[in-house]
Amino acid sequence: MSSALTIARPYARAAFALARDSSMPLWSIRLGFAALIAADARVQSLLGNPGLTVDDAVALVAPPGPPDAHFAQFLGVLADNGRLALLPDIYAIFTQLRAEAERVVRAKVTSATPLDEAELGKLRVALAKRLGTQVEVTTAVDPDLIGGAVIDAGDVVIDGSLRNKLARLQTALAG
């Protein structure tokens, strides 16, 4: 496990606890924005600059709009501890915690050809039934699969690709 993730985890849990007490969607948006800014290579170099004050560092990654005292305080704690660069990892863990709390599984469907909305709808319903929870689906296309699809839903991976079936057939024939 990455040491950055180990360090980021308690901050993500703290952000999640603060968000649960106020507005989860708003915290998600703000944290996502700050993570996107902090992930930029130019910002990373600025965050590592010892001449950057805590207030300037917070202002650099803070989302626009009316300030939120708790979110600003959270960013201040990160800046005080030199952890603003961990915002992308903190956001990833926060998003995972939110999905678990809301009982939502995020599934990535990689198919050989693009899927239309009707196919995605059927797939979403079937996955929700199988996993017993709400499912959010993202898609990707990989022509190397030849046909079929690979579904990655966290702990569950379903490989129904033609490439995989051909590889299994080759192994069975060679064995």
Side-chain angles (χ1 to χ4, degrees):
M1 178 175 289
S2 169
S3 64
L5 287 176
T6 302
I7 296 168
R9 186 168 287 107
Y11 291 107
R13 287 183 179 144
F16 181 74
L18 289 168
R20 193 175 30 205
D21 292 342
S22 59
S23 171
M24 188 71 68
L26 197 52
W27 264 80
S28 260
I29 292 167
R30 288 179 174 149
L31 197 54
F33 179 88
L36 188 64
I37 297 298
D40 186 277
R42 297 168 294 186
V43 174
Q44 287 276 331
S45 66
L46 285 173
L47 292 175
N49 184 336
L52 188 68
T53 67
V54 169
D55 290 338
D56 289 340
V58 168
L60 184 64
V61 299
D68 175 281
H70 293 292
F71 190 74
Q73 185 178 15
F74 175 74
L75 291 178
V77 169
L78 290 175
D80 280 339
N81 294 308
R83 304 291 193 217
L84 284 173
L86 293 175
L87 275 165
D89 294 320
I90 293 168
Y91 178 65
I93 297 167
F94 175 91
T95 302
Q96 183 180 13
L97 292 170
R98 180 179 177 193
E100 289 171 9
E102 295 174 347
R103 296 205 23 86
V104 174
V105 172
R106 288 177 172 77
K108 180 178 180 183
V109 178
T110 306
S111 59
T113 59
L115 300 173
D116 63 31
E117 280 304 313
E119 292 170 318
L120 277 176
K122 289 177 186 175
L123 186 61
R124 193 175 290 115
V125 168
L127 282 172
K129 185 176 179 180
R130 178 170 180 176
L131 301 173
T133 185
Q134 186 178 359
V135 178
E136 288 181 7
V137 177
T138 59
T139 61
V141 175
D142 181 1
D144 291 340
L145 294 178
I146 304 170
V150 176
I151 302 168
D152 183 352
D155 294 339
V156 176
V157 177
I158 303 166
D159 190 342
S161 68
L162 189 53
R163 178 180 65 189
N164 183 45
K165 290 177 183 177
L166 289 172
R168 287 193 320 236
L169 180 61
Q170 181 182 13
T171 302
L173 291 173

